[in-house]
Amino acid sequence: MASSVEQIKERLNIEEVVGSYIKLERAGNSLKARCPFHNEKTPSFFVSPDRGSYYCFGCGAKGDIFTFVQEFEGVDFIGALKILADKAGVTLEKFSSPETSKKERLYTLMESATLFLQKNLEGEEIPLGYLLKRGLTKETIKNWKIGYVRDEWRSISDYLKSKGFSDEEIERAGISKTEGKNTYDRFRGRIMFPIFDSAGRAIAFSGRILHDDGQSAKYLNSPQTELFDKSKILYGFDRAKQSIRKFDFSILVEGQMDLLMSHQAGFTNTVASSGTALTKEHLSLLKRISNKVIMSFDSDNAGAKAAERSWALALSCGMDVKIAEIPNGFDPADLILKNKEEFKTVLKNSIFLIDFLLNRATSQITDKKKLWSEIKTNILPYIFLLDSNTERSRYVKKISEILNIKEDFIWDDLKKVKLDEELNPEIKNQEDGEIERQINQDVLKKGSIERSIASVIAKKHSSKKDPQNIKDKIQKILGDEIYQKFENELKEKIDELSFEAEAYYGNLSEDNFDKEIEYLILNLREEHFKKELEKLLTELKLAEKEKQAEIISSISIRLKEIMQKLSEIKNEKHNFYKK
Ligand SMILES: [Zn+2]
């Protein structure tokens, strides 16, 4: 496969591939555009033809032609490979193997079954009437390829056989099953909702029973097949992904009807778990496009435990989770049918998960002691799962205000939180769930002087110039320990840093570029002394309070030195561009 990838890369340049999807403008050595992966007004998406890669300063999207097509088309690597091979006129020999053509046949089989079921629905008054009564329009029914299967033992299988598919293929696609000597269709007398993969191909069905006999499941899903991995497929994702990108959040609902009604009403960034338990894979699918998710929650829902599990799972994936509480036992589909504006309001009023939990607890429990016990058991685990300590501190503070207890007391219990294994292996592996209270900050934070200097070094590297003298100066200012971190992050982020340098300094002549570097280093030194100054002043206050004369005098000496240095730097900066 490597050779096909190489061939494709040789024949296609990134400018032409990306340019076929979005409009690129020239910007120095690079090209720029409004980022297709997040919503923005001014372009921060850069493409470098020299390096064959792209980078977005807004959302951090980066990669080569393969990742671009994967992200843009929402396909996996193989999918992108096929699209690009087509463009490049490269034949993928590996992909005409018997294995793949077997799989290709299953896709065709599913497509054929979907068309058959769609045709079946036409003129069937009862199932059609049911769908219309639930609020779906004829257009939605057609768009989502909803179908129907009569209550017969083998109607789908018989049709597929007449189209040349074998019994074995029909069973492998999850259409039929064998019990003893009998093979028959899994789906009988059901309204059929095709489930699509991210490229929009039908790969499974979810069937809703038409006449409830009290014995059969209301909804029946296809089993796991070669095409359908239920832990990785979200219903509606293929159509929602563009909107999720555009609005920068997704809405997660439970059932098919909820999803269809949401899309029909214009909430096109909605996806559904559709009867399967939410998994980390589902969430990472969403997270790739937007980190923000609103989860709808029916307050009278008997399945509240399952909902709470998904909340925790989303937090443990580092997602930004809001809860939209749907009133009075409605589900999203019913509420939209009643009045879509009300659903809009529910979404607008959605609040961050932990605020939601705290509000709920404080409105239900007035006794402070009981409230603390509730928070300790049912809310601290969620706080524990938060991504940063800044976030955790915010809630620790809030709880301490609600209960009027010391923050330290809450931190102690927060450290003792034990989690289910599936939730967060990374945190679980820390001894006794110890939380690192110090925020582990990056040296190369966005907008920092360190980062600007690192990008300059990256640019030197890419134009084959030796940046060693700059590195030496930086090391002297930062000190060995932080310099080590600087070096590591530089290596890790060399690609995006090169892009930054090009975007900021691309037009500078060699001389001016070197001058710019000197100026940056000067700024770094200034910042460094200012930080030390701040630290010393705090120490001085403390020493004065405790009347420690010796310390006061030594701090004062150092302070004087720093003031001197700062004044020198100020002068140097003032005269810098006059030289
Ligand atoms: Zn972007």
Side-chain angles (χ1 to χ4, degrees), residues 35 37-38 45 56 58-61:
C35 178
F37 304 127
H38 83 280
F45 180 85
C56 172
C59 67

Side-chain angles (χ1 to χ4, degrees), residues 221 230 233-235 252-255 271-278 282:
N221 284 347
K230 63 180 179 183
I233 297 288
L234 282 170
Y235 185 53
L252 185 70
V253 296
E254 243 173 74
V271 294
S273 50
S274 90
T276 54
L278 199 68
H282 288 140

Side-chain angles (χ1 to χ4, degrees), residues 403-415:
L403 296 169
N404 201 17
I405 55 177
K406 277 191 172 168
E407 289 186 27
D408 277 344
F409 189 66
I410 304 166
W411 277 110
D412 284 344
D413 274 293
L414 191 53
K415 283 193 215 163

